[in-house]
Amino acid sequence: MTEKARICILGGGFGGLYAALRLSELPWNPPGAPEIVLIDNNDRFLFSPLLYELLTGELQSWEIAPPFSELLANTRVRFHQGTVSDINLENRQVHLEDGMEFTYDRAILALGGETPLNLVPGCADYAFPFRTIADAYRLEERLRLLEASDKDKIRIAVVGGGYSGVELACKLADRLQKRGRLRLVEKGTEILQTSTEFNRKAATKALEERGIWIDLETTTEEITADTISLLYRGQVDPIPVDLVVWTIGTQVASVVQSLPVKHTQRGQVEVTRTLQAIDHPELFAVGDLAYSLDASGQPVPTTAQAAMQQADYAAWNVWASLSDRPLLPFEYQGLGEMMTLGIDNATLTGLGVKLEGQMAHLLRRLAYLYRMPTFDHQLKVGLNWITQPVREFFSQSGLPR
C-alpha cells in the first residue's frame, strides 16, 4: 500500500466489533497500517444472548453491555458514535446523520437487523420489542410499574414462539411468579420450528411448568392499550392484557436496502463466498443483513455465532485484499444451540451433547464468557460471577464483608 488506507466498519454488534478487534490484531506493515474506524449509533456493545438475564436481575448491564471505549482501548480501532444515513458506493463515502463523512477503501456492513413493528395495527404504539439495551430498559420500567400496581394478576402476551419469545416468556414467568399470567402466541403448529426436537420438548416442559399458555396456529390481528386480538380457526377474540412483547421478525435497515447492490426479497445483501457484495469487492457484509451460503449451498443462519465466525473471515479478507494475499471462502461451522429457560435453567445441544437444567445453565454461562469480546472484559465478568455467591452469603447473613 502506497497510501494509508481507511477501513470503515458500520455497526458494532457481533459482526462489526469482532471484525474490528480481529483487524486490529492482524500483522499490518507499520508504515502502511490502515486507519480502522468503527461506527455505531450506541456507545455500548450488547452481548444480546444474555439480554434476558437483565429482567431477572441475574446479570447487570455493565456485564453484557460494556462501552466501546473500554473494549477498544489499546487497539488500532477508532470509535465514532453516529447513525449511518447514506452510503455512496461510487465515491466510497459513508454519511452520518450528524453531518460527518468518512471516505473508505474497504467497508464492512454489520448494521444488524431491526424488529418490524408495522405488521399489525397498534403494534408500534403498544407492543414492546426486545432486541436492544434500550428495549430492555423500557420493558423493565413497564414491569416495575405493573409490579407496583394493585393488580392481582399481571397479564402478558409474548408474540412469537421462536427462541426469543420462549426465552423471554420463561424469564418473565420466573420474575413475576404467582402474579404472572402469561401466554405465548405462535402462528405455526409448534414452537421453536427451526430447533431440535430435544430443545422443543425441553422448552414445552419449561413453559408448562410455569403455567404459560401456548396459543399455536394463532395470529395477532390488533393490539390496543389493554387488549390483544387473536385469530384462531377463523374466530377473532380480544384478550385483556397489561403488556404485549413483540419478538417476531427481523428487517434490514432502510439505508442497507437502498444500496445499489444485489438483495434478497427480505432486503439482505447477497454476498460471495468471501463475504463481498456482488460487483462491489470493496464492500463486505456480515451478520443479519448478509445473505451468505455455506459450503453445501445452504443459507447461513442469522445468529450470533454465525456473525462471529463471519467477522473473523471478513477481517482476514479485508486484510488480504489490502495486502495482496489470497482471500478465504467462508466456512460456517454450526456449534449447536444454547437456550435459557428461566432462572438457573437452560438447554445445550451440539457436538454430540444434549443437556438441560442447571448443568446446561452453567455451561451456557461459561461458553458465553469465553465468547465475550476481550480478555479484560472476560476477566472482570468472570471474577464477578465467581465472587457473587460469597457477597450474597455475607449480605444474607448480616456479617461484615
Side-chain angles (χ1 to χ4, degrees), residues 90-201:
E90 186 176 344
N91 297 329
R92 298 191 182 185
Q93 285 184 326
V94 177
H95 301 270
L96 306 184
E97 287 183 357
D98 61 11
M100 287 284 290
E101 293 181 0
F102 291 91
T103 302
Y104 63 84
D105 295 272
R106 299 290 185 275
I108 300 177
L109 280 176
L111 290 168
E114 303 169 350
T115 300
L117 297 176
N118 58 352
L119 303 178
V120 170
C123 186
D125 295 322
Y126 302 110
F128 285 67
F130 193 76
R131 182 183 292 266
T132 68
I133 193 77
D135 292 340
Y137 290 154
R138 183 167 166 255
L139 181 57
E140 172 68 25
E141 183 180 359
R142 177 63 177 155
L143 287 169
R144 286 182 180 176
L145 287 173
L146 290 171
E147 288 168 325
S149 71
D150 57 2
K151 291 178 178 291
D152 179 47
K153 296 291 183 181
I154 298 173
R155 302 160 301 182
I156 299 177
V158 179
V159 183
Y163 294 102
S164 183
V166 169
E167 292 178 294
L168 198 49
C170 289
K171 290 292 189 187
L172 290 172
D174 281 2
R175 170 173 172 155
L176 298 174
Q177 294 293 314
K178 292 181 179 179
R179 283 190 77 186
R181 181 174 291 173
L182 284 90
R183 65 193 316 133
L184 183 67
V185 182
E186 167 57 40
K187 69 177 181 179
T189 58
E190 58 187 3
I191 61 170
L192 300 172
Q193 294 183 49
T194 62
S195 187
T196 63
E197 183 66 21
F198 177 83
N199 276 351
R200 207 156 30 242
K201 287 182 177 179

Side-chain angles (χ1 to χ4, degrees), residues 163-312:
Y163 294 102
S164 183
V166 169
E167 292 178 294
L168 198 49
C170 289
K171 290 292 189 187
L172 290 172
D174 281 2
R175 170 173 172 155
L176 298 174
Q177 294 293 314
K178 292 181 179 179
R179 283 190 77 186
R181 181 174 291 173
L182 284 90
R183 65 193 316 133
L184 183 67
V185 182
E186 167 57 40
K187 69 177 181 179
T189 58
E190 58 187 3
I191 61 170
L192 300 172
Q193 294 183 49
T194 62
S195 187
T196 63
E197 183 66 21
F198 177 83
N199 276 351
R200 207 156 30 242
K201 287 182 177 179
T204 301
K205 176 185 171 186
L207 292 167
E208 290 175 347
E209 286 177 347
R210 289 161 175 78
I212 299 170
W213 183 267
I214 306 173
D215 288 304
L216 297 176
E217 300 180 69
T218 303
T219 57
T220 304
E221 295 295 294
E222 185 182 12
I223 300 170
T224 70
D226 54 11
T227 65
I228 180 170
S229 294
L230 301 178
L231 172 64
Y232 175 70
R233 295 187 177 178
Q235 182 174 337
V236 177
D237 289 320
I239 310 293
V241 289
D242 301 302
L243 172 64
V244 176
V245 188
W246 190 267
T247 70
I248 291 178
T250 296
Q251 66 184 16
V252 176
S254 58
V255 67
V256 175
Q257 294 191 45
S258 64
L259 286 175
V261 296
K262 193 171 182 182
H263 294 88
T264 65
Q265 288 186 338
R266 293 178 53 205
Q268 291 174 294
V269 175
E270 293 191 27
V271 296
T272 65
R273 287 294 309 282
T274 50
L275 302 177
Q276 293 163 291
I278 295 168
D279 297 327
H280 285 276
E282 77 286 354
L283 183 68
F284 295 75
V286 298
D288 288 356
L289 60 77
Y291 181 76
S292 173
L293 301 179
D294 62 20
S296 64
Q298 296 298 309
V300 174
T302 53
T303 60
Q305 66 165 297
M308 282 188 270
Q309 292 180 35
Q310 288 173 331
D312 201 36

Side-chain angles (χ1 to χ4, degrees), residues 22-68:
R22 182 70 176 124
L23 277 166
S24 181
E25 297 169 349
L26 288 167
W28 301 98
N29 294 323
E35 180 185 8
I36 306 169
V37 180
L38 176 66
I39 301 169
D40 194 271
N41 57 355
N42 296 301
D43 65 341
R44 294 171 178 270
F45 165 73
L46 174 62
F47 200 97
S48 52
L50 293 174
L51 187 59
Y52 310 95
E53 274 83 335
L54 285 188
L55 298 178
T56 49
E58 294 169 90
L59 295 177
Q60 302 171 61
S61 57
W62 70 265
E63 294 174 290
I64 68 165
F68 285 113

